[in-house]
Amino acid sequence: MAVDYEELLKHYELQETIGAGGFAKVKLACHILTREKVAVKIMDKESLGEDLPRVQTEIEAMKNLSHQHICRLYHVIETLNKIFIIMEYCPGGELFDYIIAKDRLSEEEARIFFRQIVSAVAYVHSEGYAHRDLKPENLLIDEDRNLKLIDFGLCAKPKGGLNYQLTTCCGSPAYAAPELIQGKAYIGSEADIWSMGVLLYALLCGFLPFDDDNMMTLYRKIMRGKFSIPKWLSPTSILILNQMLQVDPKKRITVKHLLNHPWLVQDYSCPVDWHTRYPIDHLDEDCITELSVFFKCSKKSMSSLVSEWKYDRLTAAYLLLLHKKSHGKPVRLLACAEKQLVSTPLAELKSKGNINFEDLEDDHPCMCGSLDFIDKCIFPESSPFTDISQVVKRVLKDSSEDNLQPSVKQKLASRKSGNKENIKRIKVNMNTNDDFVQPEAKTPVVQKSHEKKSMVTPRKNEDVLYKAVVNCYKETSINQDSNQDVPQEHTAAAFSPERRTRSLDMELHQGNGESSQKKKGGKMFGSLERGLDKMITMLTPSKRKRPFKDGPRRIKAQYNVTTTTMMNADEVLNEIIQILPIKHVDFVQKGYTLKCRTRSDFGKVTMQFELEICQLSKPEVIGIRRQRLKGDAWVYKRLVEDILSSSNI
Ligand code: H91
């Protein structure tokens, strides 16, 4: 497994998970040479199974589609077991969250976004593709507040052109065109227009035109094509919605006619421009110069290498330099990158120590890669990793599981939730004129040397492990906090023993229960892995978290934060903790973050999201940051609203 990460970690520092799709995990990462942020979609080939063609489709489409409103592909790494897709990072998150935070958008704001959507879709269609899964969850907001279309896994490029019929029924039911759900052959572009109609309705109304918990009823509603018209919709909004949400695909407006539809042209007085502003046949002079200087080769040979568009590390370096340039940053690669980086022992830790890499990744927001291709134009493969596998093996052999279970002995502070009067929940209201506040980048803060203190007092086996790993990782500074002998994520606020057990069980994934053993596939190294996780976590300088006792994280107001006038973070936390089991939500508490999950009757995880109690400034209020990681966006919206309105916050 470790070898799978080798190539990735040579070029990127992995940070936290920002999302999870059906079969993929998406992580934030930093491109070492440019220090630019990227999103990495990580897929395990074996677990992909039947979905493998979907990934191939997505990669092919993203290689062919290059447009200012389509998420940019930088790099594809395929290893024995994994596929990594490295893409443009969009810090504004999903358009869906933006809509729900604002309830709905004004017609003016909806127009700004919808023009970009039409531009992207017209371009996609012009290239012979149909997207087939258009919805606000698949539109991300970048740092310039522009939309980027993602998720091309369901897209189709009919061999005979876009006017050829398709038969596969795919996409999300609420956005699916009537002809599609009837199982008829359909034209991809026509089905996309319907989905865009549903999307525009969601932008303008904040809810779906066709919605029902019961699938059959939902289908019936879609086939009838009748939707309610809220009073705030203008006549032109109603007109465009009616033209897009035509049950008969032949009567539906085409993308060509949308481009200069009165609703889209209003306030702009020009049609939507769908042409790409990223022509692949033009290379940027400055970026090529920097690359050729850096890799010590001629500009001519660099230009021809880049023009191959292999979506390898060179494509990534070029496109990320271009991204820097377009944001007024210096077109420079980090010449000293190789000195700043230490080779990572993580790969070795994993490869021979039977450790589950996925688990490690999650507790490990920043992993450094190494760079071995400076001064070379053609990149040789080499492994710079330190061999510490023997140490790890020994540690694994010498240690007994019991001593490593971290949280069972913890002392749970018990506080009563206090004053419930004068409680009001207010929303962070972001009108169109507000500054766009990006979700705070969770990039770990670089630790100053004088702040490096012990974080936990290592216990028996952890101690062994600790020393072993430390010996192998001499170049890395260690964060410890001698007065905190329980890992901070277990220092919970008050909740009942029953709930506590439930929460901790989930956190530990093991414990004594047979079922939890089974969940882990009978693996024996559960707690050792965790012990090792913790050690490696400590060894990562940037991972030093604020101790729980210091209170919640201080963040900027952002649109996925609901504020409360409730006085104190612990009380807010307790209130939510009380409500979650009532709403059948399992959770794991990590400091002020509640990692929540819902399951179907069959035990399948249907939804995964986080609620984090945080401290906002100006005004000094407590906020609840929410983030959906997995599951249906509208079901999530209702659930979170329900949780927040049911608790006394
Ligand atoms: N959905 C299908 O939540 C539910 C920040 C964020 C920032 C991103 C860049 C690319 C992608 C996601 C980003 C992202 C999955 C991306 C692109 C493609 C793709 C996938 C993801 C979620 C997964 C996390 C996403 C949003 C969609 C955030 N995400 N916040 N930059 O196929 Cl092409 Cl899965």
Side-chain angles (χ1 to χ4, degrees):
M1 275 300 185
V3 79
D4 289 310
Y5 280 81
E6 210 170 285
E7 183 63 17
L8 182 76
L9 294 176
K10 277 185 207 166
H11 311 294
Y12 304 92
E13 290 169 15
L14 275 189
Q15 298 172 6
E16 75 268 17
T17 301
I18 49 178
F23 49 81
K25 184 183 276 184
V26 185
K27 280 185 167 276
L28 174 63
C30 177
H31 179 247
I32 294 167
L33 278 187
T34 56
R35 304 311 298 168
E36 288 290 292
K37 286 180 180 166
V38 295
V40 184
K41 184 167 168 174
I42 303 172
M43 285 153 294
D44 185 66
K45 283 190 197 167
E46 203 182 288
S47 355
L48 277 175
E50 290 173 354
D51 286 319
L52 186 65
R54 197 179 150 170
V55 178
Q56 285 157 343
T57 304
E58 171 157 44
I59 295 172
E60 260 331 287
M62 288 187 86
K63 283 183 177 174
N64 291 329
L65 300 170
S66 169
H67 187 269
Q68 57 280 10
H69 295 301
I70 294 178
C71 186
R72 204 155 199 177
L73 175 69
Y74 294 137
H75 194 170
V76 181
I77 299 174
E78 184 176 352
T79 64
L80 190 63
N81 303 297
K82 299 268 180 191
I83 300 174
F84 303 100
I85 308 182
I86 297 102
M87 296 167 288
E88 181 174 1
Y89 173 60
C90 304
E94 294 176 20
L95 177 62
F96 175 84
D97 291 309
Y98 189 76
I99 305 170
I100 61 162
K102 295 187 108 182
D103 279 342
R104 59 184 155 93
L105 308 191
S106 68
E107 194 176 311
E108 290 67 37
E109 198 177 8
R111 183 170 296 113
I112 299 173
F113 283 143
F114 202 63
R115 281 180 69 95
Q116 300 184 2
I117 299 168
V118 172
S119 170
V121 176
Y123 168 79
V124 168
H125 289 180
S126 77
E127 293 292 314
Y129 286 90
H131 184 278
R132 301 200 296 183
D133 199 14
L134 295 169
K135 54 183 180 180
E137 299 90 300
N138 282 339
L139 284 150
L140 304 182
I141 305 175
D142 76 2
E143 68 257 63
D144 306 317
R145 216 180 170 153
N146 284 319
L147 288 186
K148 305 280 171 161
L149 182 58
I150 62 161
D151 209 343
F152 288 83
L154 294 178
C155 80
K157 190 179 188 195
K159 290 222 168 63
L162 203 49
N163 284 333
Y164 274 70
Q165 290 185 318
L166 299 163
T167 46
T168 316
C169 178
C170 54
S172 311
Y175 298 83
E179 66 274 20
L180 209 137
I181 56 174
Q182 285 175 80
K184 291 182 184 168
Y186 64 94
I187 305 286
S189 54
E190 294 171 351
D192 275 352
I193 297 285
W194 175 279
S195 309
M196 283 164 77
V198 178
L199 215 160
L200 178 59
Y201 187 98
L203 288 176
L204 293 168
C205 303
F207 48 85
L208 292 164
F210 315 105
D211 199 7
D212 208 282
D213 288 338
N214 182 296
M215 218 41 112
M216 279 322 289
T217 318
L218 172 64
Y219 286 174
R220 243 177 268 126
K221 286 180 180 174
I222 294 172
M223 311 246 268
R224 267 187 78 224
K226 296 265 172 288
F227 51 89
S228 67
I229 298 175
K231 58 180 185 319
W232 59 82
L233 289 183
S234 71
T236 19
S237 298
I238 301 168
L239 174 75
I240 191 171
L241 287 170
N242 273 325
Q243 289 172 313
M244 298 177 89
L245 296 173
Q246 278 293 321
V247 173
D248 180 351
K250 298 296 162 214
K251 292 189 183 149
R252 215 171 284 155
I253 191 167
T254 61
V255 85
K256 186 167 162 270
H257 287 108
L258 267 183
L259 295 170
N260 51 15
H261 190 283
W263 188 90
L264 278 146
V265 173
Q266 204 174 311
D267 305 333
Y268 282 82
S269 54
C270 61
V272 173
D273 178 15
W274 58 270
H275 297 95
T276 182
R277 284 179 221 145
Y278 297 166
I280 55 153
D281 48 3
H282 168 263
L283 294 181
D284 183 90
E285 184 78 27
D286 295 340
C287 299
I288 293 295
T289 306
E290 176 62 9
L291 285 169
S292 54
V293 169
F294 193 83
F295 293 115
K296 297 189 173 70
C297 68
S298 72
K299 289 213 281 185
K300 195 160 170 266
S301 46
M302 185 47 76
S303 298
S304 57
L305 275 172
V306 172
S307 308
E308 286 180 36
W309 296 111
K310 284 189 169 151
Y311 292 90
D312 55 4
R313 44 191 165 182
L314 190 59
T315 308
Y318 172 79
L319 291 175
L320 284 159
L321 271 180
L322 202 58
H323 186 267
K324 279 187 98 164
K325 183 178 176 180
S326 65
H327 287 82
K329 296 187 216 163
V331 185
R332 287 284 171 269
L333 295 173
L334 281 186
C336 56
E338 87 277 33
K339 287 188 201 106
Q340 293 176 353
L341 296 162
V342 286
S343 50
T344 172
L346 293 172
E348 280 299 321
L349 283 175
K350 302 310 245 168
S351 72
K352 308 208 178 117
N354 263 346
I355 295 157
N356 181 349
F357 211 94
E358 300 301 330
D359 287 354
L360 182 65
E361 276 169 5
D362 260 343
D363 274 352
H364 212 305
C366 182
M367 296 197 267
C368 291
S370 74
L371 217 75
D372 63 338
F373 67 102
I374 312 293
D375 291 352
K376 293 181 189 87
C377 231
I378 299 152
F379 315 112
E381 292 308 322
S382 78
S383 174
F385 304 124
T386 322
D387 186 0
I388 61 163
S389 59
Q390 293 312 313
V391 185
V392 174
K393 261 189 188 163
R394 206 195 69 221
V395 172
L396 289 168
K397 199 166 142 258
D398 291 350
S399 308
S400 86
E401 259 203 293
D402 296 349
N403 298 334
L404 281 173
Q405 291 195 2
S407 59
V408 273
K409 294 164 207 154
Q410 76 174 22
K411 201 173 158 236
L412 294 158
S414 193
R415 281 182 217 127
K416 274 248 162 280
S417 63
N419 181 16
K420 286 184 184 157
E421 287 161 19
N422 195 18
I423 292 159
K424 204 171 86 194
R425 193 156 51 86
I426 45 169
K427 264 199 158 152
V428 177
N429 187 13
M430 305 210 12
N431 64 40
T432 14
N433 299 326
D434 285 346
D435 281 337
F436 179 52
V437 191
Q438 289 167 5
E440 191 181 71
K442 283 195 250 158
T443 316
V445 178
V446 177
Q447 193 72 34
K448 294 190 194 108
S449 59
H450 67 270
E451 287 170 352
K452 286 169 194 159
K453 285 192 282 166
S454 139
M455 187 164 80
V456 289
T457 306
R459 279 158 292 172
K460 200 177 151 207
N461 289 323
E462 283 173 329
D463 206 357
V464 178
L465 196 59
Y466 178 80
K467 282 177 192 152
V469 182
V470 167
N471 283 338
C472 299
Y473 208 114
K474 283 206 176 102
E475 286 176 78
T476 315
S477 40
I478 302 155
N479 302 304
Q480 288 180 297
D481 183 351
S482 52
N483 57 16
Q484 195 188 349
D485 63 359
V486 255
Q488 59 114 11
E489 62 263 39
H490 303 295
T491 321
F495 45 89
S496 74
E498 186 192 326
R499 244 183 270 127
R500 183 174 66 217
T501 315
R502 175 196 186 104
S503 164
L504 292 177
D505 269 0
M506 278 178 64
E507 151 86 302
L508 292 170
H509 284 298
Q510 69 227 356
N512 310 321
E514 205 195 294
S515 58
S516 47
Q517 276 279 347
K518 273 192 201 133
K519 261 186 241 151
K520 268 256 161 184
K523 259 204 272 137
M524 292 306 291
F525 292 119
S527 48
L528 256 166
E529 280 176 32
R530 294 198 61 81
L532 199 52
D533 270 12
K534 294 266 181 285
M535 286 310 110
I536 293 160
T537 297
M538 289 194 303
L539 291 163
T540 310
S542 47
K543 169 68 185 183
R544 178 74 169 89
K545 279 191 202 157
R546 184 200 294 276
F548 184 48
K549 60 180 178 333
D550 279 6
R553 234 166 28 109
R554 190 169 273 279
I555 64 166
K556 284 188 210 148
Q558 50 198 42
Y559 57 76
N560 59 346
V561 178
T562 304
T563 56
T564 163
T565 50
M566 204 162 163
M567 31 300 153
N568 141 348
D570 296 286
E571 281 163 347
V572 176
L573 186 65
N574 274 336
E575 277 297 331
I576 297 176
I577 283 172
Q578 309 274 357
I579 291 297
L580 291 176
I582 301 168
K583 302 293 172 193
H584 309 289
V585 177
D586 284 337
F587 66 95
V588 171
Q589 185 186 356
K590 287 203 170 190
Y592 285 90
T593 302
L594 300 170
K595 297 183 173 233
C596 304
R597 282 202 245 189
T598 59
R599 287 178 188 276
S600 70
D601 293 343
F602 308 104
K604 190 172 168 260
V605 176
T606 47
M607 183 116 60
Q608 225 175 310
F609 59 96
E610 285 183 11
L611 297 174
E612 181 190 357
I613 317 303
C614 42
Q615 176 69 54
L616 301 178
S617 315
K618 291 186 214 144
E620 284 284 324
V621 286
I622 301 293
I624 300 141
R625 185 189 62 84
R626 52 176 190 275
Q627 189 181 4
R628 184 175 63 94
L629 292 172
K630 182 180 180 173
D632 182 89
W634 296 93
V635 177
Y636 153 81
K637 173 189 188 266
R638 283 194 287 265
L639 179 63
V640 174
E641 276 172 1
D642 189 21
I643 292 165
L644 296 182
S645 59
S646 307
S647 51
N648 288 315
I649 54 170

